[in-house]
Amino acid sequence: MSVSPPSDRYAVFGNPIAHSKSPRIHAAFAEQTGQRLTYEALFAPLDGFAAAIAGFRGEGGRGANVTVPFKEQAYALSARLSARAEAAGAVNTLAFDADGIYGDNTDGVGLVNDLAGNLGLRLADKRILLMGAGGAARGVVLPLLEQGPAELFIVNRTAAKAEDLVAQASLLASRLDSGAATPARLSAGGYEALAGRHFDLVVNATAASLAGDLPPLPAGLFAEGALAYDMMYGRDTPFLARARGEGARGADGLGMLVEQAAEAFFLWRGVRPATAPVIALLRAG
Ligand code: ATR
């Protein structure tokens, strides 16, 4: 009688974590690709993230996703980092191997793949407005720039934070030898700087939707055929309602969630799952 080897173990760590959709997403990927693995949602105490990761590794865990509020701690914990994790200053995917902890960040590519693949938006030559300058925004600046938009404007309530983000991204882009971050292409300001301007893509990376708030966007911001993208998912937000009211197309962040998971799955297993059926599965409830 043959005994099958134990499944490889993966998990997502967060606080809170109970409502995470990641276990369902990775179970669907594993089934679809015939990979033997388990994936669970694990709660880590606010002061106990490193210990939780060490414990999981000690029990044979092969890799983990990391969500709010631990992405910066995961960055600090990583012995080696991908270029995109370094650029983001945050890690959402850990892989454990003999060389220790490897940290990656798949959020940016998740957004870009959702926009380009699922939503059919070609980002080259588009005018993009990114709202917010916190961790969520920082993770997507370089991946968006790499698509060669005509312009990326970062707007934030605290304008200085958006300006810092631009300075940081420009430095990184020059180090990566990318001509994408010229001042004409990448700039920042407060919401008052948006008056009279038009964008083809507006990405909401603020925490405003969580609180049911709408950042102070001027009327007429959305260009003809524009897409409004809210990184939040699971509920209609004031931002998406406003965008629809102005005739723009709207999308929530569910596709980005599935795409960042697919990229993590690929890192761990070397197999790329199809995302569209999993997005459809989650949309069906
Ligand atoms: P995250 O890691 O999710 O990005 P964060 O680092 O706390 O969280 O950043 C939250 C972002 O949402 C910030 O850009 C914040 O603006 P400030 O830097 O000015 O605080 C933005 N934000 C939060 N609530 C907002 C609101 N009601 N209107 C506009 N921006 C808001």
Side-chain angles (χ1 to χ4, degrees), residues 30-274:
E31 192 185 336
Q32 184 200 112
T33 57
Q35 294 281 310
R36 265 179 65 79
L37 59 87
T38 64
Y39 186 109
E40 57 210 296
L42 296 177
F43 177 88
L46 289 178
D47 60 355
F49 174 69
I53 292 292
F56 185 64
R57 275 185 81 195
E59 291 164 11
R62 297 287 304 272
N65 284 129
V66 180
T67 187
V68 178
F70 298 125
K71 291 183 187 182
E72 283 81 11
Q73 286 187 51
Y75 175 88
L77 211 59
S78 301
R80 287 168 299 129
L81 289 163
S82 66
R84 58 196 185 188
E86 204 153 351
V91 156
N92 78 332
T93 304
L94 297 170
F96 311 134
D97 57 30
D99 296 332
I101 301 180
Y102 176 73
D104 195 2
N105 191 312
T106 66
D107 285 330
V109 72
L111 173 64
V112 165
N113 286 351
D114 192 34
L115 290 168
N118 303 317
L119 297 163
L121 189 72
R122 224 178 79 86
L123 295 176
D125 302 325
K126 293 290 191 298
R127 296 162 292 179
I128 303 176
L129 175 65
L130 178 63
M131 296 157 55
R138 191 162 65 165
V140 302
V141 173
L142 280 190
L144 285 173
L145 272 178
E146 278 165 10
Q147 300 302 305
E151 177 186 7
L152 177 60
F153 190 85
I154 306 176
V155 66
N156 198 43
R157 203 167 48 176
T158 316
K161 269 173 71 180
E163 281 152 13
D164 285 350
L165 192 51
V166 162
Q168 217 176 50
S170 304
L171 194 69
L172 275 163
S174 67
R175 248 197 267 153
L176 296 173
D177 203 24
S178 145
T182 59
R185 275 207 174 141
L186 178 63
S187 54
Y191 284 91
E192 71 289 343
L194 298 177
R197 306 201 52 188
H198 310 287
F199 294 90
D200 306 299
L201 169 66
V202 181
V203 177
N204 186 5
T206 72
S209 295
L210 270 177
D213 287 341
L214 176 67
L217 298 174
L221 187 72
F222 299 96
E224 180 84 32
L227 175 71
Y229 192 100
D230 203 317
M231 284 197 195
M232 269 254 319
Y233 57 83
R235 75 175 98 139
D236 199 27
T237 66
F239 168 66
L240 289 181
R242 164 69 173 277
R244 275 198 313 271
E246 293 211 11
R249 181 160 69 114
D252 72 0
L254 190 72
M256 174 178 173
L257 178 75
V258 174
E259 293 294 344
Q260 64 75 30
E263 194 73 13
F265 192 89
F266 176 67
L267 175 78
W268 294 327
R269 312 302 297 184
V271 182
R272 213 169 265 291

